[in-house]
């Protein structure tokens, strides 16, 4: 075992080095280090605390090489000795998070498996036990390191006792001795830290201190008077409120000092032989690591490439098949596969080999590099440009890497004719079907290369897309992934071109000698990430999703962004003027109704008018700043309380539409082609849906007349084209029918019945043929509300009906569609047992809160367990359709283009000569994207603008 090799064999001349680990302080710290990206195994267990703590333990053993070691836990009842002195001690401390509590048992098993003693003394906290042991050890000739982030331990340091504060976020660990503690707290001796804490108090432990004295004042007072007792004696020298507080709260200050004092005479045996480092038990390690699914952490420790199980009787090992490993989720394995079991908590990657990066500037060097590239099976590449907008970016350089810690940077000159010649020298590489091209955010690089007439040939691998599938709720930026998985912090772009402000430069401003290390690093890091992510992507549930859907979709989105969509600039400006008149009219009406002149756009003034002057409600809510809450959701609840509220809501809607879409859109047209080029984001939503920005076309309201007018501004590119809108009809309800197998709902869809209209007829008690568009929209909300777990109360609020009526609707709904309820319950149970749900394409949504003891948190996860497979499957289906339709259009060499995707709708710029072929092609591509037990239906129509087509 690699770890065993690192354990020092104690001899007479070996310095006795004792490490005492403050268990809960380190466990909490490890847990919260993963707060934004928790590690969840296939059983749905949040293993962050155990994983992070184990990393700490391994790093201590491996890197610090203690001769003696112990892990010290607080007892279940806490410090009864302090609670006897001060009943409120730690009384208000929040209960331990259940995700930590559930890992305490496994953590103790891990500690025992490493042959490390666990110390726990009833009635005394860990710091008391550690303090006592440290003082005993000092007398026995030990150098002791108290491993904890807790500042209170500073009072214990001496010539042979040190605080060992673990590093965080890439920063190294800190070792505090007498000098460091005295400098940190500006005191003469470490024991004066107790006086500072006595005056200052500790909110976490409910140690009150003396009111009005913070850290800075406490330091100053201890510097001047030496101790709490001396300060109290000289209280008459103080002034004002401070004097009053010290006199009135003198006893409280003394009690606080006592509570802050770490006890060093706990009755605990110091058994050197028990604390001596010994060999870990590989069988026990494998048992607990298998239970927690720390697959590759086991590889690291056991120094094997596959899982090893020790034979207790023979001492031999048997290698198990990799099939079992497929059960393990990425969140508990992928960060381990480099042998470093990364956590973003300051523990540095032990691989410190210096990278070899090369600057390529001459024709001969480029030719030699190209020859090397053409010999490879996979190469990572990256582009450096002078603009974040790929449609207008000029290449400054290209970097390539095909071997870890080695990369090459090709400098590209500013002269674009010369630049194009150099870039095209590498065309044989980019067009090779034998070399896998790797990049992070490939879509950007692809668009840039297209500007130099370079096309990319498959196979392709985008590490950003890959990690999105592996962990959809994580950050996807390369710098973050490098820190999280590789324990490596890349050179920040700001170090080269400055901060993100109006004065920020670009790569063109720099000499290639100042750029090449940064650029090479990007390619190198991306290559390393690819090696990590590829084994996970090749697992059964991700392989087809990645290679057959998401990677081909990168090309589709790239083409859509390049095409853009034309807008009616003149029409938008006229509409803006109309909206301005409407806003002025509404503003005047609101002020007239209020009976006072005020700024309608000021939330504070509006709140005062509504709740103090007009007194529209006695249940007004206030924000943290003390002003009345006037957000849209608040106003909607008061819509019937006063006629002014609908006017305010209409005013705000118009103002938002005008400022978000109508006014900005004309300025967002491209200066070259005059079209708007939105950016489709493939790696943002947890459900798998696409999103867009600059402009965001997903949130244009279409239920209001004013919102519809905005769609009217999106037009065909010229007189030879028309827009085609193709929209899936009721796709999520069709999906729940198919996934649940409900015969009634499946039959309704097969017979062509309108589910929403039928529901509306019942809800509003009208004949089916008399259901209005508005009633149908409301019924649609009922349908989706019920299948996503909406309660009778929520439904009653949504529809403005009584809870009894709402309950009847829900009960009748499940009578009509009985297996829907069974499906919902089954989805929740499956999520509880496996920790995630899947779409029809095996896209996973991890739900770490599905077993939470908090009913609100658990309820949210349960709704996601039902909702995510439906939304995600709808996203999968339209992505498949986009890929298939795009490829068919390319194959037929059509002039028509796919230009927009918004939720379940695709929009095409169709050449009028291709209308018939496009109708058939799109309808077939969308309706046959997948095969379900219910038919997929698509509504298609043409128009000169988006509104007319929709």
């Amino acid at each position: 075992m690699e770890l065993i090799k690192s354990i020092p064999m104690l001899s007479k001349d070996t310095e006795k080095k004792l490490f005492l680990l403050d268990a809960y302080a380190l466990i909490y710290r490890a847990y919260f280090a993963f707060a934004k990206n928790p590690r969840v195994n296939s059983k749905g267990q949040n293993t962050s605390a155990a994983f992070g703590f184990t990393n700490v333990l391994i790093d201590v053993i491996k890197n610090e090489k203690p001769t003696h070691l112990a892990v010290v836990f607080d007892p279940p009842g806490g410090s009864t000795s302090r609670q006897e002195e001060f009943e409120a001690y730690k009384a208000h401390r929040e209960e331990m998070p259940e995700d930590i509590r559930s890992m305490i048992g496994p953590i103790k098993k891990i500690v025992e498996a490493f042959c490390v003693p666990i110390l726990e003394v009833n009635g005394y906290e860990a710091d008391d036990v550690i303090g006592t042991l440290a003082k005993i050890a000092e007398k026995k000739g030990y150098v002791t390191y108290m491993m904890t982030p807790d500042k209170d331990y500073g009072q214990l340091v001496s010539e042979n006792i040190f605080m060992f504060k673990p590093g965080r976020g890439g920063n190294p660990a800190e070792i505090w001795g007498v000098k460091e503690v005295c400098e940190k707290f500006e005191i003469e001796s470490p024991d004066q830290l107790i006086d500072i804490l006595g005056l200052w108090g500790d909110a976490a432990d409910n140690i009150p201190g003396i009111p009005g004295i913070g850290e800075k004042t406490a330091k100053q007072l201890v510097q001047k008077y030496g101790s709490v007792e001396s300060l109290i004696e000289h209280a008459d020298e103080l002034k004002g409120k401070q004097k009053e507080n010290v006199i009135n709260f003198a006893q409280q200050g003394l009690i606080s000092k006592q509570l802050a004092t770490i006890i060093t005479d706990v009755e605990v045996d110091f058994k050197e032989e028990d604390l001596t480092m010994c060999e870990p038990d590989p069988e026990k390690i494998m048992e607990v690591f298998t239970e927690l699914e720390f697959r590759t952490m086991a590889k690291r420790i056991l120094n094997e490439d596959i899982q090893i199980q020790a034979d207790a009787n023979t001492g031999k090992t048997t290698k198990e098949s990799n099939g079992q490993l497929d059960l393990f989720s990425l969140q508990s394995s992928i960060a381990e596969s480099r042998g470093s079991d990364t956590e973003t908590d300051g523990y540095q990657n032990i691989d410190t080999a210096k990278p070899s990066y090369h600057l390529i500037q001459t024709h001969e060097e480029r030719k030699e590099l190209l020859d090397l590239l053409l010999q490879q099976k996979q190469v990572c590449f990256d582009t450096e440009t002078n603009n974040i907008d790929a449609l207008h970016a000029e290449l400054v350089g290209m970097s390539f890497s095909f071997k870890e810690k080695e990369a090459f940077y090709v400098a590209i000159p500013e002269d674009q004719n010369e630049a194009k010649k150099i870039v095209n020298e590498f065309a044989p590489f980019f067009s090779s079907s034998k070399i896998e091209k790797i990049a992070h955010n490939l879509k950007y690089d692809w668009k840039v290369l297209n500007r130099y007439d370079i096309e990319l040939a498959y196979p392709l691998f985008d590490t950003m897309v890959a990690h999105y599938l592996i962990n959809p709720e994580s950050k996807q930026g390369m710098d973050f992934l490098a820190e999280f998985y590789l324990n490596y912090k890349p050179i920040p772009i700001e170090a080269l071109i400055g901060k993100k402000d109006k004065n920020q430069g670009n790569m063109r401003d720099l000499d290639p000698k100042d750029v090449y290390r940064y650029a090479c690093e990007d390619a190198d890091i991306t290559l390393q990430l690819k090696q990590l992510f590829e084994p996970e992507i090749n697992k059964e549930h991700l392989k087809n999703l990645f290679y057959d859907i998401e990677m081909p979709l990168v090309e589709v989105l790239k083409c859509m962004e390049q095409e853009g969509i034309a807008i009616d600039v003149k029409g938008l400006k006229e509409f803006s003027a109309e909206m301005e008149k409407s806003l002025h009219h509404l503003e005047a009406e609101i002020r007239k109704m209020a009976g006072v002149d005020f700024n309608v756009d000021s939330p504070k003034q509006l709140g005062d008018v509504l709740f103090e002057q007009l007194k529209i409600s006695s249940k007004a809510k206030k924000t943290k700043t003390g002003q009345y809450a006037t957000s849209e959701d608040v106003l909607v609840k008061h819509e019937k309380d006063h006629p002014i509220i609908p006017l305010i809501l209409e005013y705000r809607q118009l103002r938002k539409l005008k400022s978000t879409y109508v006014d900005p859109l004309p300025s967002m047209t491209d200066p070259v082609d005059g079209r708007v080029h939105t950016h489709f984001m493939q790696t943002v939503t947890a459900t798998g849906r696409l999103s867009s920005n600059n402009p965001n076309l997903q949130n244009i309201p279409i239920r209001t007349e004013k919102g519809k007018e905005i769609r009217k501004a999106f037009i065909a590119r010229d007189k030879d084209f028309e827009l085609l809108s193709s929209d899936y009809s009721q796709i999520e309800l069709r999906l729940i029918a198919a996934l649940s197998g409900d015969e009634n709902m499946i039959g309704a869809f097969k017979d062509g019945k309108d589910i929403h209209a039928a529901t509306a007829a019942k809800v509003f008690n009208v004949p089916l043929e008399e259901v209005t568009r508005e009633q149908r929209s409301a019924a649609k909300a009922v349908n989706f509300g019920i299948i996503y777990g909406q309660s009778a109360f929520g439904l009653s609020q949504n529809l403005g009906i009584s809870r009894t009526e709402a309950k009847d609707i829900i009960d009748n709904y499940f009578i009509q569609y009985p297996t829907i309820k069974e499906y919902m319950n089954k989805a929740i149970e499956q999520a509880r047992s496996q920790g995630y749900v899947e779409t029809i394409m095996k896209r996973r949504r991890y739900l770490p809160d599905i077993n939470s003891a908090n009913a609100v948190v658990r309820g949210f996860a349960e709704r996601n367990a039902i909702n995510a497979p439906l939304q995600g499957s709808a996203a999968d289906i339209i992505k498949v359709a986009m890929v298939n339709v795009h490829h068919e259009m390319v194959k037929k060499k059509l002039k028509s283009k796919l230009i927009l995707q918004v939720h379940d709708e695709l929009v095409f710029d169709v050449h009028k000569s291709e209308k018939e072929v496009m109708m058939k092609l799109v309808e077939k591509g969308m309706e046959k994207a997948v095969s379900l037990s219910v038919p997929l239906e698509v509504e298609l129509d043409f128009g000169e603008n988006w509104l007319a087509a929709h």
Side-chain angles (χ1 to χ4, degrees), residues 376-543:
Q376 309 307 315
K377 292 183 178 180
Q378 62 171 18
V379 177
C380 179
F381 79 95
D382 187 39
T383 61
E384 299 301 335
T385 67
N386 66 347
N387 196 326
I388 59 173
D389 182 359
L391 294 179
H392 300 286
E394 294 180 0
L395 270 170
V396 174
M398 302 182 294
S399 53
F400 302 90
S401 178
F402 49 82
K403 181 181 179 183
E404 185 175 327
K405 295 194 177 298
E406 185 169 13
F408 305 83
Y409 177 69
V410 178
I412 307 293
E414 187 169 4
D415 180 276
Q416 289 302 287
N417 290 326
E418 186 64 23
K420 194 169 186 178
K421 292 178 183 177
I422 292 175
V423 176
N424 276 267
E425 290 176 14
F426 291 87
F429 158 72
F430 289 117
S431 63
S432 173
S433 60
K434 296 180 180 179
I435 306 169
E436 184 177 43
K437 276 75 67 181
I438 306 157
H440 193 84
N441 190 14
L442 175 66
K443 177 156 61 78
Y444 176 87
D445 302 296
W446 201 338
K447 287 196 290 185
V448 172
L449 289 172
N450 282 171
R451 298 193 70 236
Y452 294 82
D453 299 329
I454 294 291
E455 269 300 345
L456 293 178
Y458 291 87
L460 302 169
F461 193 106
D462 189 330
T463 50
M464 184 169 76
V465 173
H467 187 261
Y468 167 68
L469 293 184
I470 291 164
N471 191 352
E473 298 191 66
S474 167
K475 296 177 183 178
Q476 310 300 343
M478 190 209 73
D479 285 5
F480 169 79
L481 298 179
E483 290 191 60
F484 189 81
Y485 290 111
L486 307 177
N487 270 355
Y488 184 82
K489 189 169 186 177
I491 302 168
I493 183 69
E494 291 80 9
L496 278 72
I497 62 174
K499 295 180 180 179
K500 293 181 180 179
D501 56 30
K502 63 181 181 180
N503 298 316
Q504 187 179 47
N506 66 66
M507 290 297 191
R508 180 67 76 196
D509 303 329
L510 304 175
D511 188 287
K513 293 178 181 178
D514 298 323
V515 176
Y516 85 95
R517 289 186 181 85
Y518 169 89
C520 285
E521 184 183 74
D522 279 1
D524 175 22
I525 291 299
T526 301
L527 179 68
Q528 294 183 51
L529 290 173
K530 193 261 187 178
Q531 311 306 337
L532 281 182
F533 300 159
E534 187 173 35
E536 297 298 323
I537 286 299
N538 284 332
K539 287 183 176 179
E540 183 180 355
H541 70 285
L542 289 182
K543 190 171 184 178

Side-chain angles (χ1 to χ4, degrees), residues 197-227:
L197 296 172
L199 296 174
W200 175 15
D202 188 334
D205 291 341
N206 210 25
I207 297 176
I210 292 180
I213 298 180
E215 179 181 7
K216 184 177 179 181
T217 304
K219 289 178 180 178
Q220 293 171 347
L221 292 173
V222 172
Q223 285 172 9
K224 184 172 182 179
Y225 295 103
S227 67

Side-chain angles (χ1 to χ4, degrees), residues 773-919:
R773 184 181 181 89
E774 290 73 20
Q775 288 172 331
R776 184 182 176 282
S777 295
K780 184 176 180 180
V782 175
N783 273 325
F784 286 119
I786 289 173
I787 63 177
Y788 296 157
Q790 188 175 46
S791 65
F793 173 76
L795 188 57
S796 68
Q797 292 288 102
N798 196 10
L799 294 180
I801 59 179
S802 70
R803 287 196 206 181
T804 302
E805 289 176 286
K807 183 178 183 303
D808 288 341
I809 292 172
I810 292 174
D811 291 342
N812 290 335
Y813 183 93
F814 288 127
I815 289 172
Q816 187 178 0
Y817 306 119
T819 58
I820 298 294
K821 185 68 173 178
E822 294 174 20
Y823 166 77
M824 292 164 63
N825 292 336
K826 186 178 178 181
I828 292 170
E829 287 305 313
Q830 287 180 339
R832 284 179 181 152
S833 64
Q834 62 192 18
Y836 60 84
V837 290
E838 288 185 334
T839 69
I840 58 175
M841 300 296 182
K842 305 298 182 185
R843 183 188 305 274
R844 288 184 180 178
R845 174 80 182 273
Y846 288 91
L847 300 169
D849 296 323
I850 194 68
N851 294 307
S852 173
N854 184 310
V856 175
V857 172
R858 185 177 66 253
F860 183 76
E862 289 173 351
R863 287 190 291 275
N864 271 334
I866 300 165
N867 178 272
L870 300 175
Q871 278 202 12
S873 294
D876 290 342
I877 290 171
I878 201 163
K879 285 179 176 180
V880 171
M882 291 170 72
V883 170
N884 292 346
V885 169
H886 174 81
H887 286 178
E888 193 65 22
M889 290 168 67
V890 172
K891 181 181 176 182
K892 292 182 180 294
K893 298 180 180 179
L894 299 179
K895 299 175 184 176
S896 304
K897 304 292 181 182
L898 170 59
I899 55 175
L900 290 181
Q901 188 263 24
V902 179
H903 302 308
D904 303 323
E905 177 185 10
L906 298 181
V907 180
F908 300 81
D909 221 345
V910 177
H911 194 273
K912 289 179 179 179
S913 67
E914 299 171 349
K915 288 177 66 172
E916 186 176 345
V917 68
M918 281 295 294
M919 279 279 287

